């Protein structure tokens, strides 16, 4: 019996099951075997994944469909206040929150929205695109118009208190200038790779799940990089970049600097590596290595760039890898098991 398993049973007998979260356990740094091979199982990016997993688990534990689980799960994060997901998140450099999301089911169906404004649950709009239209992706005002037609309320567009504060702070430090001047400022004209507090910019929520029937699905939702150029779209709504599911093989999702993920078709690469027989962790590591290779000629930028992948395979094995220390993911496979695992890192 593993040490963690023994600890779980000890806590269970002490009646501390409800405290058995990543916080209660501390972040685990060991091979990601805990829960491997289980069904159902859900994993998601970052600490926000703990709450998101709880939403997904309610669906999975009752034998529900992975697709419903990954939608319900990330809706939790879209409703929370965070820097990087949902309408409470940090805006673009013009002061508007714009949202990207994608979803993919066990039959290879997928839907996504990009540059969507004033709609609280972009993930659900992405699902409607998948289920109600012959298309995969809707963007901008058209996506918003579709959402309204589908009955989603149009929110007021005001920044949350936290977002307003962060934006005002960023305006000071970035010495924001009109576009004509910004062009001369090099990369600082674009979204910063780190936020003013030093954290990496950005913490997307991505989730992949395997249900009791053995079916895989995934979701990914974000406000994109904080203070991005207006109109910038990242990897999250792009199938094969921020999210990919192949029900015969596995599912993967990504977080971090979306441009780097897009350049490598990151999650499609992870799934293809799993198809070659690699464990999800090994597949994620190889995809991260590929991203790092792409920094040839611009090595100095690498230290400020974070990308992380998480993946599960058809057997319920899971894993993650990232460029830099600091990324973690949440794994849930039982009422009493929902914990954070540190992503292994290359640098
Ligand atoms: N990974 C989220 C983004 O780059 O927008």
């Amino acid at each position: 019996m593993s040490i963690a398993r023994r600890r779980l049973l000890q806590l269970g007998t002490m009646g501390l099951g409800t405290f058995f979260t990543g916080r209660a356990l501390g972040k685990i740094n060991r091979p990601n075997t805990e829960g491997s091979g289980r069904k159902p199982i859900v994993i998601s990016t970052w600490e926000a994944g703990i709450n998101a997993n709880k939403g997904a688990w309610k669906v999975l534990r009752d034998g529900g469909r992975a697709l419903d689980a990954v939608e319900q799960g990330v809706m939790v994060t879209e409703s929370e206040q965070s820097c990087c997901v949902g309408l409470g998140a940090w805006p673009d450099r013009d002061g508007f929150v714009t949202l990207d999301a994608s979803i993919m089911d066990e039959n290879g169906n997928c839907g996504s929205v990009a540059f969507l404004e004033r709609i609280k649950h972009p993930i659900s709009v992405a699902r409607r695109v998948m289920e109600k239209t012959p298309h995969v992706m809707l963007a901008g005002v058209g996506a918003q118009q579709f959402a309204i037609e589908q009955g989603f309320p149009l929110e007021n567009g005001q920044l949350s208190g936290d977002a307003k504060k962060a934006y005002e702070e960023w305006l000071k430090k970035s010495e924001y200038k009109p576009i004509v001047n910004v062009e001369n400022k090099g990369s600082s004209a674009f979204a910063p790779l780190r936020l003013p507090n030093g954290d990496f910019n950005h913490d997307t929520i991505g989730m992949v799940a395997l249900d009791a029937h053995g079916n895989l699905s995934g979701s990914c939702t974000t406000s994109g990089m904080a203070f991005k150029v207006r109109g910038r779209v990242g990897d999250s709504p792009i199938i094969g970049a921020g999210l990919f599911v192949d029900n015969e093989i596995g599912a993967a999702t990504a977080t971090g600097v979306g441009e780097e993920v897009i350049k490598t078709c990151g999650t499609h690469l992870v799934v293809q590596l799993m198809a070659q027989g690699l464990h999800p962790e090994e597949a994620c590591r190889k995809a991260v290595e590929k991203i790092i290779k792409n920094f040839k000629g611009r090595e100095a930028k690498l230290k400020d760039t974070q990308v992380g992948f998480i993946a599960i395979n058809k057997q319920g094995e899971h894993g993650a890898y990232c460029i830099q220390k600091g990324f973690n993911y949440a794994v849930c496979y039982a009422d009493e098991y929902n914990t954070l695992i540190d992503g292994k890192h290359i640098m």
Side-chain angles (χ1 to χ4, degrees), residues 1 3-14 20:
M1 185 188 298
I3 292 167
R5 177 86 187 131
R6 205 172 300 134
R7 177 104 177 99
L8 168 65
L9 293 176
Q10 279 167 359
L11 284 171
T13 55
M14 288 160 69
F20 202 79

Side-chain angles (χ1 to χ4, degrees), residues 312-328:
I312 52 175
N313 63 17
K314 192 72 176 166
Q315 291 73 46
E317 295 172 312
H318 59 85
Y321 234 93
C322 54
I323 300 178
Q324 321 271 354
K325 191 170 180 211
F327 169 61
N328 47 29

Side-chain angles (χ1 to χ4, degrees), residues 117-137:
E117 294 180 272
R118 297 175 56 187
I119 300 290
K120 188 172 177 188
H121 288 299
I123 196 64
S124 301
V125 185
R127 183 167 177 175
R128 296 286 175 93
V129 173
M130 174 174 84
E131 292 181 337
K132 306 277 185 203
T133 81
H135 309 301
V136 166
M137 188 172 198

